[in-house]
Amino acid sequence: MRLFAKITICSMLVLCIAVLFSGYLLITFSYENALDRETERALSKYQYDKFSVQAALISNQERLQEGIEANDRMLSVLSADLNGEVAFFSDDKELLFSSVPDKFPVVLSNGVSEKMIVNEFKQSAGKVYLMVSGKIKQDKLSLYLVSVTDITSVANQKEAMTKSFKNTYFITIGISMAFVLILSALLTRPINRLIKAATRMVEGQYRERLAIHSNDEIGELSVSFNLMASAVEDKISELSETARQKEDFVASFAHELKTPLTSVIGYADMLYQKNLPPDETKSAAWYILHEGLRLEALSLKLMDLIVLDRQDFVLEEMSANELLQNILDGLQPLLNEHRVAPHLTADIGYVKVEYDLFKTLLLNLIDNSVKAECTDIWILGQQTNGHYHITVTDNGRGIPPSELSRISEAFYMVDKSRSRKQHGVGLGLSLASKIAEIHGSSLKFHSEQEKRITSVEFELICVGGVAND
Amino acid sequence: MIKQKVFTALGIAFSLLIVFGGWWLTSKLLLRHETNQLAALESVRVVSPASTPETPNGETNYPTLTESELYMVLNIWELGTDEIPHEPRADQLTMEQAITAGKEGLAFFSEHGMFPSELTAFEKTNAYLCESNPDLTRLIQTSPEMKSEDIRSNEELAPFYSYWTISFSSDNVNATLIINAATGQIWKAKMEYHIAAIDLEKLDDKSLADAFMAYLGFDENVLFETAIQKKNTKIDDTTSKLTLDIKLATKK
């Protein structure tokens, strides 16, 4: 069921109950009051009538008694002096006289006695009467007096009130229903807009946003919806980027795998099919070896990347300057081979690192510098604001500014032919970036090709302040 | 979607059912309430009239009111609140006693020339015992400390707040006497004559007033006085109506 229908039904239910209950109370209260008023009036009337009859009995007792016994017009004359309609019954409860119209047969109420007046309502021929019955005893003569009051006006008044209430009720409910329908439609309109926006988002329109018109709950819901839509949009673009990267990775991987394998298969086939002279055989074998080494490097680096993604590493506290010196000492043969001069300047400080990973990180960065045909490498370690800042700078070929944003992607190579010749697979910087992430940092590349300056910066968590030694 | 529309239609049908069903139920309840109200049978117990005690020689022993009680009663009567008829209660005159007191009063008025004794053969006698609105009476005699629930109490008023209205009438005269229901004294009388039964000019107000005060048991009083009003209304060329009012009143 639609929400507006629910609001309408609930409002109508409450309104109907409230109006009907109020009307019922009002009518019954008014009716009871009117009846009480009429009863008091009828009792007064009876009392006056009784006094009149009693006074007549006192002053003319003998004449009246004779008249009553002879059933002459005496009671008729007496009743003419009384208020309204009356009836007289004898001591044996037989009707002696009645001035009440024949349509209403007067009956003496039960329980009437000298000490008990009884009032009761009677309905006859569409009229309502209030009868007050009592007994009059004066010396030897006793009579029952019934005083009858027509209270049809009270019943009519109640009926008119009920009719008026009926009209008021249906008009009120009709108008209220229209108002409630309009109001509930207005109230649920923002929710309908929300539903439509959500539907459009389901259909892929992640840029869908709602206009905020109020500060109420619906306004808050719209704000939350917009926040959720932004989060979903960001997540979707992130997932799309990840998916694109994965696709690129798979494509690059397939390409990187195919290239050496094509050479390996080609040279192996050549060796198998033909009897080549020794120098050509050697050359073919060298190519197979070279491409095999590339495949090995590729598989090892892929393994490292997979391991980095799946393993939790424990960072240990180490002396930063000693660590850098130690790693640089290990790389000395490589640097000597390529005639690269290392320059280390490091503040004393303690950092939290995973030794093997950190060594791999620096090795990859220095290896890249070496491959860029640099002659000098400067490693600078500075402690600033609770961080240990490391910068690796070389004077190699440099990286074009347009390539800087992509160099840490897997299989991305700035100069593919040169890189392959140097057994490069395009995973070194990707691996280095991953290791920097594990250390809570990221690699920031900066390169000026004209000045032959390329630098990579990253930060490590510094602990314990400045070391004493 | 279709299911939702069906539910919405059912909901609207349900709300219409509430609207019309609610009215049907209310009208039935109203009818039932009316039937119950009209079927009610109420009984009112009547108190037995207790005669005022009589002295050993057979005379009725009426109580005497203090001046402050008398003052209060007169003030309340003069306000003219709505009167409520009731049966005589304890320490109040019965109708027979009231009529007797009325006849004695007329005899007194005859002695003083206000009522011709030859007109005492009345054709009709009537008598009503009433009291001023009890709630209003309690309110008037209320001290500031009195609480509202005391004012609305069902407790009966003191017997002297009630009065008998006795009327004697014949073709030529109507005499209406207001008699205190406790003391049996006439506090107010109005005589109307359709014939020239008395000569209003010859009646001396001062002696009438003194006689009435003496009848009530007062000599010189600073609180009360007798108010007398005489009127001769000409009805046509040959007939006129004489009216004589005499009553006990508080001094202004």
Side-chain angles (χ1 to χ4, degrees), chain A residues 233-469:
Chain A
E233 192 183 5
D234 291 349
K235 196 70 189 170
I236 291 288
S237 56
E238 191 185 312
L239 286 172
S240 302
E241 182 60 22
T242 309
R244 189 189 64 74
Q245 282 177 357
K246 278 189 178 169
E247 276 177 20
D248 288 354
F249 180 86
V250 171
S252 303
F253 178 69
H255 181 72
E256 292 303 320
L257 207 59
K258 192 186 167 192
T259 312
L261 276 175
T262 308
S263 301
V264 168
I265 290 164
Y267 284 108
D269 185 51
M270 201 163 70
L271 288 172
Y272 178 71
Q273 297 284 346
K274 297 172 187 176
N275 286 324
L276 297 172
D279 56 331
E280 283 186 29
T281 305
K282 200 174 178 181
S283 170
W286 184 87
Y287 274 113
I288 290 169
L289 176 66
H290 177 78
E291 295 305 323
L293 286 171
R294 271 194 67 209
L295 280 173
E296 188 191 27
L298 178 66
S299 64
L300 286 172
K301 294 218 169 177
L302 271 174
M303 192 88 84
D304 285 348
L305 270 177
I306 290 163
V307 166
L308 287 180
D309 269 340
R310 290 187 180 173
Q311 200 168 329
D312 290 331
F313 296 95
V314 178
L315 304 183
E316 291 172 353
E317 200 175 312
M318 289 181 189
S319 168
N321 52 326
E322 283 177 13
L323 179 67
L324 290 171
Q325 187 61 56
N326 181 269
I327 291 169
L328 207 55
D329 291 347
L331 292 171
Q332 200 60 51
L334 173 73
L335 296 172
N336 289 344
E337 187 188 335
H338 291 87
R339 293 177 187 170
V340 176
H343 309 278
L344 174 64
T345 310
D347 291 348
I348 295 169
Y350 282 90
V351 289
K352 287 188 95 174
V353 291
E354 209 288 329
Y355 177 75
D356 291 326
L357 291 182
F358 187 70
K359 192 176 175 182
T360 308
L361 167 62
L362 272 188
L363 180 67
N364 273 295
L365 293 180
I366 291 170
D367 185 43
N368 267 16
S369 297
V370 170
K371 283 174 183 171
E373 296 168 353
C374 67
T375 56
D376 292 279
I377 293 177
W378 292 271
I379 300 173
L380 180 64
Q382 287 176 304
Q383 189 176 292
T384 50
N385 298 329
H387 287 92
Y388 201 86
H389 197 85
I390 296 172
T391 312
V392 179
T393 311
D394 66 57
N395 54 358
R397 281 189 308 278
I399 307 162
S402 58
E403 309 282 338
L404 277 174
S405 60
R406 298 194 63 193
I407 54 170
S408 58
E409 287 179 19
F411 298 112
Y412 190 81
M413 289 172 268
V414 176
D415 185 343
K416 287 188 181 178
S417 60
R418 191 196 303 270
S419 183
R420 279 177 190 139
K421 273 181 195 167
Q422 293 168 333
H423 299 173
V425 291
L427 289 173
L429 285 179
S430 181
L431 201 60
S433 291
K434 190 68 82 181
I435 292 168
E437 269 178 39
I438 289 166
H439 285 84
S441 183
S442 62
L443 298 181
K444 287 169 191 163
F445 294 93
H446 176 76
S447 181
E448 290 180 52
Q449 281 185 300
E450 302 84 31
K451 293 180 183 173
R452 290 185 70 85
I453 293 173
T454 303
S455 64
V456 188
E457 298 170 30
F458 63 96
E459 285 176 345
L460 294 172
I461 301 163
C462 189
V463 286
V466 179
N468 292 328
D469 52 347

Side-chain angles (χ1 to χ4, degrees), chain A residues 15 164-178:
Chain A
L15 195 70
S164 173
F165 173 61
K166 182 184 177 183
N167 294 337
T168 312
Y169 168 72
F170 281 112
I171 290 168
T172 308
I173 294 296
I175 293 170
S176 305
M177 204 169 215

Side-chain angles (χ1 to χ4, degrees), chain A residues 2 9 13 20 31-32 47-48 50-52 81 115-117 119-121 123 138 158 166 169, chain B residues 4 11 18-19 22-23 30 33-34 38 41-46 86-87 95-96 124 126-128:
Chain A
R2 307 293 297 182
I9 291 167
L13 188 67
L20 289 173
Y31 186 57
E32 281 173 19
Q47 192 63 56
Y48 279 119
K50 187 189 172 190
F51 279 144
S52 295
D81 293 336
K115 291 182 177 177
M116 192 68 76
I117 298 170
N119 56 294
E120 67 175 322
F121 299 96
Q123 290 179 344
Q138 189 63 46
K158 189 224 162 190
K166 182 184 177 183
Y169 168 72
Chain B
Q4 202 173 50
I18 291 166
V19 171
W23 171 252
L30 283 171
H33 175 263
E34 184 182 346
L38 294 182
L41 190 77
E42 282 180 24
S43 303
V44 181
R45 187 165 286 278
V46 183
H86 66 90
E87 289 288 334
M95 187 184 279
E96 285 155 307
K124 199 182 280 180
N126 215 336
Y128 309 108

